Amino acid sequence: MTSSGTTRQRLRDLKALEGPFDPVDFSAVGDSPQALFLDWLDGAIAAGLAEPHAMTLSTVDAEGHPDARMLILKNVDDRGWHFAISAASPKGRQIEANPAVALTFYWQRLGRQVRIRGRAVALDAAECAQDFLARSVDARANVLLERQSAPLDAASEVVSAIAEAKARIAAAPDKVAQVWRAYAVMPEVVEFWQGATDRLHNRLVFRRNEADANWDKELLWP
């Protein structure tokens, strides 16, 4: 086992924020955080970044302890940033009890991060079904088990349970898991962060104005 001193030095020696990064002009940004996000997402896709739609979803449990995990972004529209999960999962139960959530995107090669804080709003049954049926058979079978994060006695149990779930799908291809939920995160605060090698990062934050539902924008110190 390495000592803490050695680990500290190994971490110190690792490179971070190695550019060069493209400059950003926040003065030309429009009035919608969604529009700027989609522009940055398009840039990440065009740059060939792996899984540019991956994001961290953060929730809070009943004791106020935070949880975070990686998910895939499903859509962005005027309602917010979309994702889908099982209501039977820990994160599903946490959102049901407290819909306050945060999303984080990080595109390392571009030196860009986006942080979104808001409220997860459940979408209607039709959108939930549409998302579920667009998933692969393997992914649908996993949801139909309704056992995510439950204790597992033996790996062999998974194999037989998945086989049974796939048989149910084969018999009823349009079957939708009742626990499947699609959400849109209605944003309250959205921050865009463009990293810089000299650490003079560029930051722009959008805050929803509750009085008129429009957005207030301001630059932040690095």
Side-chain angles (χ1 to χ4, degrees):
M1 181 180 295
T2 58
S3 69
S4 60
T6 302
T7 299
R8 183 183 299 111
Q9 188 59 52
R10 290 174 63 210
L11 293 173
R12 176 64 68 180
D13 291 341
L14 294 175
K15 302 298 183 182
L17 286 175
E18 287 192 290
F21 301 122
D22 291 336
V24 62
D25 181 10
F26 283 140
S27 66
V29 170
D31 297 326
S32 162
Q34 283 96 324
L36 179 55
F37 176 85
L38 290 173
D39 180 63
W40 278 24
L41 178 63
D42 286 344
I45 295 171
L49 271 61
E51 298 187 351
H53 53 342
M55 63 185 184
T56 300
L57 166 68
S58 299
T59 55
V60 178
D61 70 12
E63 288 74 40
H65 301 144
D67 266 336
R69 74 289 287 167
M70 300 300 296
L71 293 181
I72 293 298
L73 177 69
K74 296 299 187 76
N75 191 20
V76 181
D77 60 19
D78 57 358
R79 295 172 295 177
W81 282 252
H82 297 211
F83 64 90
I85 60 173
S86 168
S89 67
K91 56 186 172 291
R93 295 191 296 269
Q94 289 169 2
I95 290 173
E96 181 66 23
N98 182 354
V101 303
L103 303 175
T104 307
F105 294 84
Y106 182 53
W107 300 301
Q108 177 269 336
R109 186 142 48 93
L110 302 179
R112 287 180 170 179
Q113 176 181 241
V114 180
R115 298 193 302 138
I116 301 154
R117 189 172 64 199
R119 183 167 58 91
V121 178
L123 304 183
D124 63 31
E127 288 187 85
C128 294
Q130 181 183 39
D131 182 88
F132 184 79
L133 294 175
R135 293 166 63 84
S136 68
V137 171
D138 288 336
R140 280 182 281 161
N142 202 328
V143 176
L144 287 172
L145 299 182
E146 299 186 17
R147 299 179 190 174
Q148 186 177 5
S149 299
L152 176 65
D153 293 328
S156 58
E157 295 180 24
V158 177
V159 176
S160 58
I162 287 290
E164 180 182 348
K166 286 184 176 180
R168 292 165 61 191
I169 293 172
D174 294 330
K175 182 177 180 59
V176 175
Q178 294 302 304
V179 295
W180 197 243
R181 299 286 185 276
Y183 289 93
V185 176
M186 181 183 297
E188 298 168 359
V189 180
V190 183
E191 181 189 322
F192 294 85
W193 180 93
Q194 174 63 70
T197 55
D198 59 6
R199 279 20 180 205
L200 297 181
H201 314 306
N202 291 289
R203 298 170 64 191
L204 175 70
V205 63
F206 287 79
R207 291 189 177 90
R208 186 179 294 278
N209 188 321
E210 296 182 2
D212 58 13
N214 290 322
W215 292 96
D216 297 326
K217 294 181 296 183
E218 65 178 345
L219 298 174
L220 301 177
W221 280 73

